[in-house]
Amino acid sequence: METPDTTTALGALVSEQGYRMTTPRRHVLDVLPASGAPLSVADIHERIRSRIRSRRVSLASVYRTVNLLLRLGVVRATDAVGGPQRFEIGGPFGGHHHHLICQQCGRIEDLDGCPLGDAAWQAMNRRVRRTRKFRVVDHDLRLLGACHECTKGRRARTTRR
Ligand SMILES: [Zn+2]
Ligand SMILES: [Zn+2]
C-alpha cells in the first residue's frame, strides 16, 4: 500500500518540527507504513530486528520514539480490544481506512478502503444535518468479530446463515 516515498515524506515531517532523523526514528518509520496492521511497541521492535536486522535499537528506544512520533502527529494510537496499545501512521499519510478487530485474541488488521460507500456516507450526512443540525466531518468505524485463527477451531459448533 505504501512506498519508501512515504517513509521519506514522514522523515521530512519529523525534521520540519525540529527533530533529527536518528536511527530508531528512521527504523520505526520504515516498519510502520509497510505493516498493513497497527503494531504494538513490541511488534515494531521485533520487526526492526527481523526485517531490518538491526540490533542496535532497544525496546526502550522504540518506546520513546513512538511517543515522540505520537506527539508530532506522525503516528496515532488505534483502538484496541484488550491487549497492548497499537500504533499506525497518522496525519496526512495515514489514509482513510478502518480496522478489523478480533474480540477473542485482540488481533487488529487494516481494512483497505471504506465500507461506508460515498452514496451512503452522503445520504447519512444530509439526514443528520437535516434532523440533528449536526455537520459531520469524519467518521470512525471499528469492525468487531473473530479473526480467521480464532474462527477455525469453532467452525464445527457455529451455524452459518
Ligand atoms: Zn483472533
Ligand atoms: Zn470510512
Side-chain angles (χ1 to χ4, degrees):
M1 185 170 71
E2 322 270 343
T3 63
D5 293 344
T6 310
T7 303
T8 309
L10 290 168
L13 216 59
V14 172
S15 314
E16 274 166 24
Q17 300 185 69
Y19 290 87
R20 281 190 315 118
M21 216 24 165
T22 59
T23 302
R25 290 170 195 168
R26 190 158 41 77
H27 284 345
V28 170
L29 293 179
D30 277 339
V31 161
L32 266 187
S35 69
L39 301 177
S40 69
V41 168
D43 294 335
I44 295 168
H45 184 236
E46 163 32 49
R47 284 180 196 219
I48 289 172
R49 289 169 69 99
S50 64
R51 298 222 180 139
I52 305 178
R53 302 192 176 284
S54 170
R55 303 199 171 262
R56 289 166 47 213
V57 177
S58 69
L59 185 62
S61 73
V62 172
Y63 183 82
R64 280 194 305 272
T65 301
V66 167
N67 271 303
L68 172 72
L69 296 174
L70 265 180
R71 280 210 310 282
L72 300 183
V74 175
V75 160
R76 68 175 166 230
T78 68
D79 315 287
V81 175
Q85 249 198 326
R86 289 177 175 80
F87 305 92
E88 66 184 0
I89 298 301
F93 299 100
H96 182 82
H97 69 275
H98 300 284
H99 294 131
L100 303 172
I101 304 179
C102 177
Q103 291 175 299
Q104 285 159 45
C105 71
R107 179 198 303 260
I108 304 181
E109 293 167 26
D110 285 352
L111 179 71
D112 286 335
C114 181
L116 208 61
D118 274 349
W121 166 242
Q122 279 163 23
M124 194 206 56
N125 260 355
R126 278 196 300 273
R127 182 161 45 83
V128 170
R129 194 189 288 220
R130 195 178 63 236
T131 60
R132 311 294 301 268
K133 310 275 183 259
F134 187 96
R135 199 171 73 87
V136 180
V137 294
D138 200 0
H139 65 266
D140 192 0
L141 180 65
R142 303 183 305 162
L143 302 173
L144 305 173
C147 73
H148 179 64
E149 288 300 310
C150 290
T151 314
K152 269 195 300 196
R154 26 185 95 215
R155 186 156 297 152
R157 293 192 273 129
T158 312
T159 43
R160 300 175 72 178
R161 289 200 280 174

